[in-house]
Amino acid sequence: MTNLEDFFFSVDTENNDATPAVRAALAAARAGGERRLVFPKARYDFWPDRAFEQYWFISNNDEGLKRIVFPLEGLEDFEIDGQGSEFVFHGYVLPFTLRGCKEITLKNFSIDWARTFHSEAVVLAAREGSIDIEIPEQFPYKIPHDRLVFTGEGDITYDISNMLEFDTNKRETAFGVFDNFAVHDWHTAEEIGPRQVRVHAKFSTLPTPGNTMAIMDGGRLCPTITIERSQGVTVQNVTLYHSGGMGIIAQHSSDLRVENLTVTTPPESGRMISLTADATHFVNCAGEIVLENCVFENQMDDATNVHGIYGQISAIVSPTEIEFALVHPQQLGIDIFAAGDPIEFVRNTTLETFHENTVARVDRVNKQFTRLTLESPLPTDLSLKDAVANLRWIPNLTARGCRSRGNRARGFLVTTGGKALIENNHFHIAGAAILIEGDANYWFESGKVRDVTIRGNHFENCNYGVWGTATIEVNPGVAEPYRAQSLYHHSIRVENNTFDDFHGRLLAAHCVDGLTFTGNVMRPSGAYPKRSAGGELLEITHCANVDIRDNDLSTS
Amino acid sequence: MTNLEDFFFSVDTENNDATPAVRAALAAARAGGERRLVFPKARYDFWPDRAFEQYWFISNNDEGLKRIVFPLEGLEDFEIDGQGSEFVFHGYVLPFTLRGCKEITLKNFSIDWARTFHSEAVVLAAREGSIDIEIPEQFPYKIPHDRLVFTGEGDITYDISNMLEFDTNKRETAFGVFDNFAVHDWHTAEEIGPRQVRVHAKFSTLPTPGNTMAIMDGGRLCPTITIERSQGVTVQNVTLYHSGGMGIIAQHSSDLRVENLTVTTPPESGRMISLTADATHFVNCAGEIVLENCVFENQMDDATNVHGIYGQISAIVSPTEIEFALVHPQQLGIDIFAAGDPIEFVRNTTLETFHENTVARVDRVNKQFTRLTLESPLPTDLSLKDAVANLRWIPNLTARGCRSRGNRARGFLVTTGGKALIENNHFHIAGAAILIEGDANYWFESGKVRDVTIRGNHFENCNYGVWGTATIEVNPGVAEPYRAQSLYHHSIRVENNTFDDFHGRLLAAHCVDGLTFTGNVMRPSGAYPKRSAGGELLEITHCANVDIRDNDLSTS
């Protein structure tokens, strides 16, 4: 066992920075074949200054040359045990990266930043074209040349990409509000009192005085736990109070267990927002993904998203060679194929698979383009914009006993062809609690589902925000003219769930073959005003083999 | 011999992009052991889309993940002959990088960009707080939210970091004008006529109607020829019309010949500015650097700069271990030491060497910090902020028969401990024609000179701008209180030069041991108003062994 306190060298005292101690401890543990690094229970501060440096492409986050405090690479059978410690980070630094690791456990610590990447303010007044806000001292700012800029430690400044209104009392996004992305392109600001600022901008919806504006820097530069090409990773009894990006992001990894992960705001911090993006996110993973007894609260994006990546065909080089592009800017640089991988070809219109093959050779051109040589000849009706996906990296997903609430956007995004079980969870989500999507034109997230079970969950008044049209939404990116030709998703069972509901939109689904909705109970709540969108309780279009029975759906 | 035309595949036809052909040709040449890649004389367009990608730290330019059209790595005895071709680049792409190469020749081509990284405009009027400009069609722009933004190919936009006035008729920076960097932090703009814009900002000096404003994007992301850890590189008969950074930048390389390089604006382009930064720049190089029969015209920074890098001591770890920092943001990531290198320690105050040692081991922490283990014990009076420099990488420099004019800033910066010969050149430079500097507090450019000869040059009315105080300036960064204790530079001979002069400031030097100024002729010209700064013809302070004689310095 390696104990961090054996590594407090002189250089560590600057800023009370534990980063060099971690570096030395990891090196010593590796050299000595140790299996555990333990932290005496305490607060540890980590600065980027002496951190390890490496360029990372991290799906759905921002690529870049990163500073990393715990860079785990090629480690096997290793455990980091915080023993209840608080890990406090400073500035642009990634807490954990895992690459090429096997059987790693991270447990018993919390992660926060001394200065959050986002800021918050209380709404004092609002009128067409401007709002007045009061900014707590923990979010320092300046107004150079009439523009509101938040400041951090050292000379860090944070831009404003979005302002989003939260209901201060309910601690959730305010009812029916939209993101205010326009404030990024243009706003002016003026000081109107002590820490009181008037912001002139185009606001999508005028906020209510007393509510809280989450003021987001657009960057996703510093996710907390990044996992790449690793197998057997367990995150256990970890609390994530903040991140500059996602909480846990895994790519091309398998057998990932997340147990008793709590994503929330620090007690008595006065903060509304926890993480600045998704709590967890799994891209082109495999094996078993398990989320058990987790809490996902007040992060600025989805609770989880499990999906693959579609590449878009950009050139047909020969009867056995294509070039494809990664299109979504936050997917660039991810090597989605290796030689020997099974590959499917889908139309970008219907998303239907029209060809399968095997990758013989991969030549990466750069982070955007890759050339593939296939083992068998390609069909002659292959078109530019058709999409390719990897059939090897398809995980099973179990999400059980988790509580999700108060965040922006959606709950669980389930886009995987493996066996997915969403069981005994509690959702109070602004958008869709469960979204099954997949598209090859905008997000390029692949994953035709084949076996999804949603059972025994409690959906408590979901869809009070704008991110979705029903509590459970099965909405692959097939445009209306092509829906009649597409049965993209397969075998989705929604069983024995309870819906506390105020707006009569439990399920919206299209392009599904095999949809069962049985044993579910709806309890009208009147908790919020009915959303104006309207629509049916169960909106099912372009589906086959639909089985709806034995539900108790008495309307309010 | 490999001929590019054998590599025009189907994919090349998109945008008429020759980049994939170059990639294929280089691969074929390497595989076949070919020694030459020739281009049938023509215009070739190169786009970044299918270019090779690699992260580069490039001294005095901007680091980043680069797209590179000619990525030469580990090549030996290879020649690229453009045979008079025009190479036209598009967007953010580096034309040439050389790493770990030996005996490479690049010859007979020109380099330009389809859309320059900078823009230009003609001054219509100017008054306190605003100027009116007319922007030629080759520099597209938009004014979103009252801010002037220049636009490029695709969705590229160019920020404004500086506006600098050029005398349209003289094709040089206007007399005595300052850079307008403040326009970056704040300006507003409004359209006042067809392609006519009023820019409100704080201008350092009001420009004269009819003059040309160079409007610079601050980035130095795309130097044209970047050379790292290579030996024996010749650039011959090459014309550089543009760059997004420096023209030729070499680091840790030796034996570099630049012959008949022409840096200028394309004929009939209507452009005032050639490169956006220095024409040539040599950092921690060795062996022989030769600049012969070159033209350096109208680039936005110095004609050449030869120097090393000072690291700043950031921690004293043990009697034989230190940590040092690279401080200048554009020096980060450059590995200035390797095991076995001789190292000198200098005071940051006097720049005097107080200790020499040998590097036993190098541990890079990250791009900012490096830990060094030394072979012998360190002195006990070592202090933080003392500086370290490498004594292995010190080149000789010969600059002969070159013509430099019209650029912003200085001519030749000579900060090398090797033998430097500046002979038979012509200078018409806004700042100092020759600057011998070195400092360990701001630029961190090392290079105590030991043998500099400046002879037979024609200095034609230099110092009409603000970048320097004399035609030849020897000005190491030793603050006044420490100058009496410092004889930083050694053995500088200024012989048999002709100075056409309007302001009576031929030489300013301090902290030199061994300064000879003989056989020089001054011809009063009255070509510009006398600069207000005044001062002596030869201002020599804190020097030893000064020999001034046999000059013809009749004043105007």
Side-chain angles (χ1 to χ4, degrees), chain B residues 24 36 51 85 102 105 111 134 196 222 235 238 266 331 357 371 381 407 432 437 466 476 501 503 546:
Chain B
R36 288 184 74 205
S85 292
K102 276 189 188 167
T105 299
I111 285 181
E134 186 165 310
Q196 297 181 345
C222 301
V235 178
V238 165
Q331 291 170 350
N357 209 317
R371 194 179 278 215
D381 64 343
N407 62 300
E437 210 170 24
V466 300
D501 182 79
H503 76 326
V546 177

Side-chain angles (χ1 to χ4, degrees), chain A residues 419-430:
Chain A
K419 189 175 172 67
L421 174 63
I422 314 295
E423 185 177 47
N424 298 337
N425 302 284
H426 181 272
F427 297 93
H428 175 55
I429 297 288

Side-chain angles (χ1 to χ4, degrees), chain A residues 88-107:
Chain A
V88 179
F89 296 82
H90 297 261
Y92 288 100
V93 66
L94 278 67
F96 290 88
T97 59
L98 285 68
R99 175 178 282 166
C101 291
K102 277 188 187 167
E103 304 306 330
I104 304 292
T105 298
L106 309 178
K107 67 183 191 187

Side-chain angles (χ1 to χ4, degrees), chain A residues 479-551:
Chain A
E480 180 58 41
Y482 302 101
R483 288 187 185 173
Q485 305 162 48
S486 177
L487 286 170
Y488 183 63
H489 289 306
H490 295 258
S491 300
I492 299 172
R493 288 171 303 283
V494 182
E495 302 169 348
N496 304 324
N497 300 283
T498 301
F499 296 81
D500 292 336
D501 183 78
F502 68 94
H503 77 324
R505 295 278 291 159
L506 305 191
L507 173 69
H510 64 254
C511 303
V512 183
D513 181 2
L515 175 64
T516 304
F517 191 89
T518 63
N520 298 291
V521 176
M522 180 175 79
R523 305 188 300 209
S525 72
Y528 296 87
K530 218 171 154 75
R531 295 281 306 285
S532 55
E536 304 164 64
L537 205 57
L538 308 176
E539 180 191 307
I540 295 165
T541 63
H542 305 295
C543 291
N545 301 309
V546 177
D547 180 11
I548 299 177
R549 59 182 158 77
D550 304 334
N551 300 293

Side-chain angles (χ1 to χ4, degrees), chain B residues 191-256:
Chain B
E191 202 95 34
I192 55 171
R195 301 197 68 83
Q196 297 181 345
V197 177
R198 181 164 298 161
V199 180
H200 302 267
K202 186 169 182 294
F203 289 94
S204 310
T205 41
L206 285 187
T208 303
N211 273 354
T212 299
M213 296 304 271
I215 307 176
M216 309 310 297
D217 178 83
R220 290 181 170 192
L221 287 159
C222 301
T224 56
I225 300 174
T226 303
I227 303 166
E228 179 173 271
R229 300 200 182 272
S230 294
Q231 188 189 336
V233 178
T234 301
V235 178
Q236 208 172 54
N237 300 323
V238 165
T239 300
L240 303 181
Y241 291 126
H242 192 60
S243 66
M246 291 180 176
I248 298 177
I249 165 70
Q251 55 200 24
H252 292 102
S253 294
S254 54
D255 301 327
L256 310 169

Side-chain angles (χ1 to χ4, degrees), chain A residues 9-11 14 20 23 48-53 55 57 63-65 67 145-146 182 185-186 314-317 323 332 364-369 371, chain B residues 9-11 14 20 23 48-53 55 57 63-65 67 145-146 182 185-186 314-317 323 332 364-369 371:
Chain A
F9 305 132
S10 61
V11 77
E14 189 179 344
R23 228 171 143 148
D49 302 61
R50 268 75 179 185
F52 179 74
E53 193 171 58
Y55 201 96
F57 296 100
E63 67 177 273
L65 188 68
R67 294 286 172 94
H145 304 298
D146 306 326
D185 294 326
W186 178 80
S314 48
I316 299 162
V317 180
E323 180 200 72
L332 298 182
R364 176 170 163 143
V365 177
N366 50 42
K367 68 180 179 181
Q368 187 179 7
F369 295 102
R371 195 179 278 217
Chain B
F9 304 132
S10 61
V11 76
E14 189 179 343
R23 227 169 145 149
D49 302 62
R50 268 76 180 183
F52 178 74
E53 194 170 57
Y55 201 95
F57 296 100
E63 68 177 270
L65 189 67
R67 296 285 173 94
H145 305 298
D146 305 328
D185 295 326
W186 177 82
S314 49
I316 299 162
V317 180
E323 180 199 74
L332 298 182
R364 175 169 164 144
V365 177
N366 51 42
K367 68 180 177 180
Q368 188 179 5
F369 294 103
R371 194 179 278 215

Side-chain angles (χ1 to χ4, degrees), chain A residues 264-282:
Chain A
T264 189
T265 52
E268 294 168 40
S269 66
R271 278 161 32 195
M272 177 66 71
I273 302 304
S274 57
L275 312 185
T276 62
D278 306 35
T280 65
H281 202 108
F282 303 89

